[in-house]
Amino acid sequence: MMKRATIMVVDDHRDLAENVCEILQSGLEGTNLTCLLAGSAGDAIEACESQRDALDLAFVDLRLPDADGVELLGQVKSRCPHAEIVIITGDATVESAIAAVGAGAFSYVLKPFRPTDLVLTAQQALAQVSLAREGDVLRRELEQSERRHREVVEAVPAFVLALDAEGQIRLWNRRLEEVTGCSRDEMLGKPGLELVGEGARKLPLKGGGHRLVRWQRAALTSADGKPVMYAMGVDVTDERDMLRRTLRAERLAAVGTLAAGLAHEVRNPLNSATLQLQVLRRRIDRGTTDPGELLPIVEIVHDEIRRLDRLVSDFLSFAQPRPLRLEPLLIDELVQGVAELLRLEAEADKISIVVELGAGEGTVEADAERMRQVLLNLMRNAVEAMSAQGGSLTLRTAPADVEGNARIELEDSGPGFPEDAPIFDAFYTTKASGTGLGLSIAYRIVADHGGSLQADSRPGRTRFVIKLPQQAAAGPE
Ligand SMILES: Nc1ncnc2c1ncn2[C@@H]1O[C@H](COP(=O)(O)OP(=O)(O)O)[C@@H](O)[C@H]1O
Ligand SMILES: [Mg+2]
């Protein structure tokens, strides 16, 4: 494409002006040149008004009838932002020409000039103009892209803020303004580190209350080399509420299932006691006074009531656990203590209890009484499973592993349970007088500590493994 250029020659000597035009027309080969002539500063300004941005170059005689060339310089520049100006002057006024360059002219040519000099100057000035024009286009594109980025930051439905090295807020986007009610002007310069910590943080609202916001942070370096932290936040308040509602609904459903199970379990001993009382009444009605006939019935009723009592208290400790009282416990001490509690009872059933302590000084943060309850439930089950034929129960401990979990293992040599037996389900029992709650309770307590309870079994070897974190989790709500 052929280059275009618009040049104006301002000189009150028309011949000279035309001459300049001709020289340029023939000298600037390959350029589609438009040459304008102006005989006075007034004419020149008029031409500028109509040309505006289209004017590339003006040759201006320093001496004009109605104005000084240097004055005209400002007038042209203000109307034609891209135009360059070359001063044409005679020897006598070379000082003024130099001053004009100081005031923003591109250069000057001295009369009489050689055509090649004139053309060369014009070429240089036009090259300068086209560079400036390109620069302008680039700057506009950059501004546009910056504006787009700013708009994205402003318009995203997320919270975006930036902090400088001092932790002061440097960016506070529209979403933050809308949700918190705090304007950008209020927030810029305020300390903001508190707002954007790890995990979900409370974002205070101007009208009181807060939203829960989960932040993602990125440390960057700004254009001027200073560190900036950008944080992008998502409002998780509703998500949390939903989760809490779901949990509550699940818990209610679980309570329903448990209550049904409890009612069922309560009915058995109640039926049995009622039947026995009817038998007792019939015998009394018949005039029986022999204690040998009456007392066994009283005993049975008493047993059933005891079973009911056990059921209710087990159920309560399952359904309504009290908050954990956490303290550092020596694992070995805990296990040894519980082993001694059951040793005599076990030996009466020809069951030997073997303790292999390996935790040393290892501790866990736990509720001693509740952990004792867990171990007792598991040991009782083992003893009950082996009571018919005797056997051995081994208790093993190990300190925290790389993941921070200490380990307690109980292994018995009893008959075990089938792989698909739902042993951890509430009310599942294979025993005539069982409640089926022992393992449910144990499982619940270990889980409340943030640990896990697992079992595997084959005839002759049944193993329960408790893993407890060295630092307890939050515990039940
Ligand atoms: N060590 C074990 N060996 C064999 N079976 C076991 C053992 N521990 C538990 N079980 C099975 O799991 C069931 C549930 O145990 P648990 O919840 O303590 O209730 P319960 O002891 O009242 O029956 C037991 O009835 C038994 O069938
Ligand atoms: Mg049990």
Side-chain angles (χ1 to χ4, degrees), residues 71 176 191 234 282 336 382 400 449:
E71 270 169 44
L176 276 166
V234 180
R282 243 180 276 130
Q336 181 78 62
H449 280 83

Side-chain angles (χ1 to χ4, degrees), residues 124-135:
Q124 287 169 346
L126 287 176
Q128 171 80 14
V129 168
S130 92
L131 264 181
R133 282 192 199 278
E134 270 171 40

Side-chain angles (χ1 to χ4, degrees), residues 377-378 381-382 384-385 412 415-417 423 425 428-431 433-440 457 462 464:
N377 286 359
L378 295 177
N381 281 346
E384 283 163 5
D412 70 61
F417 52 82
I423 56 167
D425 281 4
Y428 172 78
T429 179
T430 54
K431 301 164 196 169
S433 63
T435 64
L437 286 171
L439 286 181
S440 315
S457 176
T462 295
F464 284 81

